[in-house]
Amino acid sequence: MTRNTGVAGRTAAVLCAAAALTGLTVAPSGPPRHLVYVANLHSDTVSVVDTLGGTVVDSVPVGDGPDSAALGPDGSRLYVTNSAADTVSVVDTRTRTVVETVGVGHEPSRVTVSPDNRNVYVANVAEGTVSVISTRTLAVTDTIAVGDAPLGLAVTPDGRTLYVATAGADSVAVVRTDSGTVAATVPVGGGPTGLALAPDGRHLYVSNLTSDDVSVVDTRARTETDRIPVGDQPAGIGVLPDGGRVYVANTGTDDVSVISTRSHTVTDTVAVGDRPNGLAVGPDGCGVHVSNFESDTLSVIDTATTRTRATVPVGDGPTGVAM
């Protein structure tokens, strides 16, 4: 592992130390902020991990082949794609039970929730579509054709635009959420898999699984402006809340690349478990959580020190991570 934390690392250390003083605060409408949810593809469960204690505190049975998970903005519901059942499980995070199962398209993979908590977007990788679920009725209200093998999803802060990584077309589809239509298509690297939107919405970061790099997309111009080499087979990707760094899990090299958004270069590489896949950045920016598919573990990276501070055993074949 290499290290080059500098000013960014020292700043993160101060912010994380302050956040630790309030880390146990419970939001009025949601669960504790230190819980992480991990979808386990082979055990058909979601592990609930307490990152403060480094332990699994619960295991929630869901559908067949859970692949991805996303929390609503208030943290009260977790949405889990069941890739082998063509459904989405809706989990009440307080009771940790499935309260509804929603049928969607063929082989649902990634999932995300709109910032206003009105819609859930589900990428159906084998169908080339995105299913739109109303959080009020828990029914599919629209199905949007987006392109070949849709995977990663990201919604702009204003909720007006949905970005979809179409792995089979080496591009990102730009979808207008009001009309459910594709407004533009942005060519990127090979096999785009994961998407992460900068906090200000100005840049979109795309992990390209087959070209081993990360594309930087200017969301205003709708063009790729840079491409950053990383490890082999980059998959899960996330941006710190301050927008300063991007983390990407490299499935083929068992590590995580840390990218400076200022220089567009890799500044650190962190070794994790076998076949890292899903990745989620904590809301306070102090921890990055990575699922290791072959190790059946969750790695927790301290963003202040750029070191793995915990490794937690979870279910069989962990994939998607939500926090």
Side-chain angles (χ1 to χ4, degrees), residues 15 32 92 126 153 234 299:
L15 293 175
D92 183 316
L153 302 167
S299 294

Side-chain angles (χ1 to χ4, degrees), residues 160-230:
R160 295 179 180 177
T161 303
L162 171 70
Y163 297 101
V164 186
T166 48
D170 296 341
S171 63
V172 173
V174 183
V175 178
R176 289 184 53 182
T177 57
D178 59 351
S179 62
T181 57
V182 175
T185 301
V186 183
V188 289
T193 299
L195 299 181
L197 194 63
D200 62 4
R202 292 285 304 276
H203 293 96
L204 181 71
Y205 300 93
V206 186
S207 61
N208 300 309
L209 188 75
T210 59
S211 57
D212 301 334
D213 49 31
V214 169
S215 294
V216 182
V217 174
D218 183 318
T219 57
R220 290 184 178 178
R222 295 177 177 173
T223 58
E224 182 188 54
T225 58
D226 207 349
R227 202 177 291 182
I228 307 163
V230 290

Side-chain angles (χ1 to χ4, degrees), residues 69-97:
L71 278 166
D74 64 4
S76 65
R77 282 178 174 174
L78 179 76
Y79 301 90
V80 183
T81 57
N82 303 307
S83 61
D86 296 345
T87 62
V88 170
S89 293
V90 183
V91 178
D92 183 316
T93 57
R94 291 187 181 277
T95 62
R96 296 173 188 163
T97 57

Side-chain angles (χ1 to χ4, degrees), residues 22-309:
T22 57
L24 293 176
T25 301
V26 179
S29 58
R33 290 162 63 88
H34 59 271
L35 294 180
V36 175
Y37 302 87
V38 183
N40 303 303
L41 187 74
H42 292 158
S43 55
D44 299 339
T45 61
V46 171
S47 295
V48 184
V49 180
D50 179 345
T51 60
L52 294 180
T55 58
V56 173
V57 296
D58 210 345
S59 181
V60 183
V62 288
D64 190 6
D67 190 19
S68 182
L71 278 166
D74 64 4
S76 65
R77 282 178 174 174
L78 179 76
Y79 301 90
V80 183
T81 57
N82 303 307
S83 61
D86 296 345
T87 62
V88 170
S89 293
V90 183
V91 178
D92 183 316
T93 57
R94 291 187 181 277
T95 62
R96 296 173 188 163
T97 57
V98 174
V99 295
E100 188 63 83
T101 301
V102 184
V104 289
H106 187 35
E107 201 174 330
S109 180
R110 306 300 193 267
V111 59
T112 194
V113 187
S114 63
D116 62 7
N117 202 28
R118 295 181 62 183
N119 294 304
V120 177
Y121 299 99
V122 181
N124 304 305
V125 66
E127 191 175 278
T129 64
V130 169
S131 296
V132 184
I133 300 172
S134 164
T135 59
R136 183 179 61 84
T137 64
L138 295 181
V140 173
T141 59
D142 198 4
T143 301
I144 307 168
V146 292
D148 190 11
L151 288 170
L153 302 167
V155 186
T156 54
D158 62 11
R160 295 179 180 177
T161 303
L162 171 70
Y163 297 101
V164 186
T166 48
D170 296 341
S171 63
V172 173
V174 183
V175 178
R176 289 184 53 182
T177 57
D178 59 351
S179 62
T181 57
V182 175
T185 301
V186 183
V188 289
T193 299
L195 299 181
L197 194 63
D200 62 4
R202 292 285 304 276
H203 293 96
L204 181 71
Y205 300 93
V206 186
S207 61
N208 300 309
L209 188 75
T210 59
S211 57
D212 301 334
D213 49 31
V214 169
S215 294
V216 182
V217 174
D218 183 318
T219 57
R220 290 184 178 178
R222 295 177 177 173
T223 58
E224 182 188 54
T225 58
D226 207 349
R227 202 177 291 182
I228 307 163
V230 290
D232 292 350
Q233 299 174 21
I237 190 168
V239 187
L240 290 187
D242 66 5
R245 281 176 282 176
V246 174
Y247 291 76
V248 57
N250 302 307
T251 304
T253 44
D254 299 340
D255 54 28
V256 172
S257 296
V258 185
I259 299 170
S260 164
T261 58
R262 180 183 295 272
S263 65
H264 287 177
T265 58
V266 173
T267 59
D268 291 278
T269 302
V270 186
V272 288
D274 294 340
R275 306 289 289 179
N277 187 352
L279 183 149
V281 177
D284 57 9
C286 298
V288 173
H289 309 83
V290 183
S291 61
N292 302 304
F293 186 75
E294 293 292 345
S295 298
D296 298 337
T297 59
L298 178 76
S299 294
V300 183
I301 299 172
D302 188 318
T303 58
T305 63
T306 321
R307 293 181 181 274
T308 300
R309 68 168 182 243

